[in-house]
Amino acid sequence: MEEKKTRPIKGILFWIFFPLITLIITALLLFYLDLANGPLILMIIECIAIFVAFVIRIMLRGKRFVFRMIPFLALVATNLIIIPLAKPSVTVYNATKGKNNEYTEVLKLANGDIKGVYNEDKTVKVYAGIPYAKAPVGDLRWKEPVDVENWLGVRDCSKFGARAMQTDQNPVIDGLVEIYGQGTYVPNFIMEPRQNMSEDCLYLNVWRPNNDKKDLPICVYIHGGSLTGGSGAGSDFNGEEMAKLDVVFISIQYRLGVFGYFAHPDLQAESSNHTTGNYGLLDQIKALEWINKNASYFGGDASNITIAGESAGSSSVSAICSSPLAKGLFKRAIGESSSLVVKQAPHTYRKIEDALKMGQDIMKEYECNSISELRNVPADKLIKTKYTNSSMTLDGYALTKNPYDVYKDGENNEEALLNGYNVHEGDAFVIPQFLFSPTNKGNIKERLTTIFGDVYAEKWCELYKDEIEKDAFSTMNKIFSNYWFLQPHYSWSNMAFNNGVTVYSYQFTKENHYRSTHHAGEIIYAYGNVKNDPKTYRFNESDLKLSNIMLNYWANFVKTGNPNGEGLETWNPYDPNKNKLQELGARVGEKDDENLAAFALIDEYLDYILK
């Protein structure tokens, strides 16, 4: 009798909890597959497997336990297969969004003929994957870039060249950090394949307007990625919108990581220029040489070239502005969110002694006794080195002085400079580091001490004591932002100004919850690609308006060295006696620089450690 009474209760519990548990498991698995980024077929298989397991479990209700476990175990087995396969696929990227875009007419270059493709509305011609140097493979690994050989026939330039060798971050971890930073999760199930990669990576991409105009200004963009990642095919800096404003836009690729910034005494000895450690930088300069030689074929003006870059790309821009090899190869510079023009660069630059020591450590890591042996290590194995090669160095060839000293001696290359930074530059670096142990009033001084030492940790805490009391987490991010990004730009602006360079400085302040004012948040605005973003929920009309303003500022600067133009809020040149910046955000216009006290403390700290 008692057993009959419990049966209805068990039945009720089953029909409540079994669907609920199934729903939770389904949601978690789909969440994982969404973050893992593909392929979509796995998500379809997962949904089918869960549904089948759900139905079979219902059919086996009332059977022996061992039978009831069959659908569960089958689902576990299915996921043991699916989850490891849930990662982005790899493909060659098309130069344009359309699948069957029409080819352009054949274009003659110095090294041979090419054909590109028109964009969707045929307002722009795109030529992608053009080699500007010989593939740096085999005996050319860790050598200065060599002129590309001529080719026969017509080269198809409808697809981007392979990106440089790099280690990809786990997309699930990246997704979790993004959710943490944004404070929200918006599922999109857009499975985006990764671009193919190769050691054969020295390619550039050209966007030019579909008209017959000649002597157009040229913007050469150097991608970021800590000198260890990235690609010239980034959608945020796609060149179509700039080309529509009668600018020839060119993005370049260069060697990264251990392939681009490895240094070793034996390489110094074998080089006729006695250089090592700056192969990626030398690639960038070689690309500029190629562009100068071929500019007229694209309708560009070799005497009116602006170099631009963000993050490590901006560090590279400041290095090119400091390199004697690049003198005369460009006219103006745009630097976004990184600079080496500071007494001691906080990142992407190191002493040659440190570079050579790491090179010797890598040699030991791979148990090689000579450079020739290390050159024979396969690229996909070498890229897994435990040592991070993410810095340029004073090699005596590409860089004969520290960039700060170049500016101090008045030997920098640019005639005009547009540079600046975002409000929350450091968040993308600090938040992942302390993801499971956020900074608070109790630990902020200890964390500052690990960076600045006891004396200056105390000074930071005194400078920001009120802000630490209110929000230590945000204050830590702000201090890091000032040290790593903001103050180096302040130094660059002042040093360039002192040398007679016309400088335009900005601060990007646009908040939109998704891209925000974090590191790299401004790129999609500055190059006009807000309206092209596939995740349309991330932007609204105010974002589109700001993007149009910034695109025109950037294009005007590329054309004339002055960002101002009709219909735009006046952007006054930088003057260190006034310390004003152009705010680019919900408000566009001049504002005071609120970080001067922090900049003074950083300058004092640099003098202290360099004594």
Side-chain angles (χ1 to χ4, degrees), residues 136-142 199 258-259 261-267 270 276 279 355-356 358-385 387 389:
V137 299
D139 290 341
L140 293 183
R141 181 187 284 180
W142 301 313
E199 196 174 355
V258 69
F259 299 96
Y261 300 93
F262 173 82
H264 196 277
D266 292 351
L267 291 171
E270 75 172 30
T276 188
Y279 305 105
L356 294 172
M358 182 180 288
Q360 291 168 323
D361 290 339
I362 291 172
M363 186 84 83
K364 293 176 183 176
E365 179 186 13
Y366 286 92
E367 299 180 347
C368 292
N369 296 312
S370 67
I371 288 295
S372 61
E373 286 184 24
L374 199 60
R375 282 191 172 116
N376 288 327
V377 174
D380 57 355
K381 183 178 180 181
L382 188 61
I383 196 64
K384 295 177 183 177
T385 174
Y387 297 98
N389 292 263

Side-chain angles (χ1 to χ4, degrees), residues 206-339:
V206 179
W207 290 261
R208 68 140 292 146
N210 183 18
N211 57 39
D212 296 325
K213 293 182 180 179
K214 305 293 183 183
D215 296 325
L216 295 171
I218 300 171
C219 180
V220 180
Y221 188 85
I222 305 169
H223 70 77
S226 301
L227 302 181
T228 58
S231 162
S235 59
D236 283 3
F237 53 83
N238 182 286
E240 282 191 27
E241 300 307 317
M242 191 73 83
K244 290 175 183 177
L245 296 180
D246 284 338
V247 171
V248 176
F249 187 87
I250 303 175
S251 67
I252 67 174
Q253 295 188 162
Y254 53 99
R255 282 172 282 184
L256 301 169
V258 69
F259 299 96
Y261 300 93
F262 173 82
H264 196 277
D266 292 351
L267 291 171
Q268 278 183 317
E270 75 172 30
S271 168
S272 60
N273 300 303
H274 306 294
T275 180
T276 188
N278 280 340
Y279 305 105
L281 177 59
L282 288 168
D283 292 341
Q284 296 163 11
I285 295 171
K286 173 60 74 174
L288 281 174
E289 292 175 355
W290 188 96
I291 290 166
N292 273 263
K293 186 177 181 180
N294 287 273
S296 61
Y297 296 107
F298 293 106
D301 181 0
S303 68
N304 193 12
I305 295 176
T306 298
I307 58 173
E310 186 273 341
S311 191
S314 183
S315 292
S316 298
V317 166
S318 65
I320 293 171
C321 288
S322 309
S323 175
L325 300 181
K327 189 170 290 292
L329 294 179
F330 70 99
K331 194 169 187 177
R332 293 180 281 271
I334 297 174
E336 303 166 32
S337 303
S338 275
S339 162

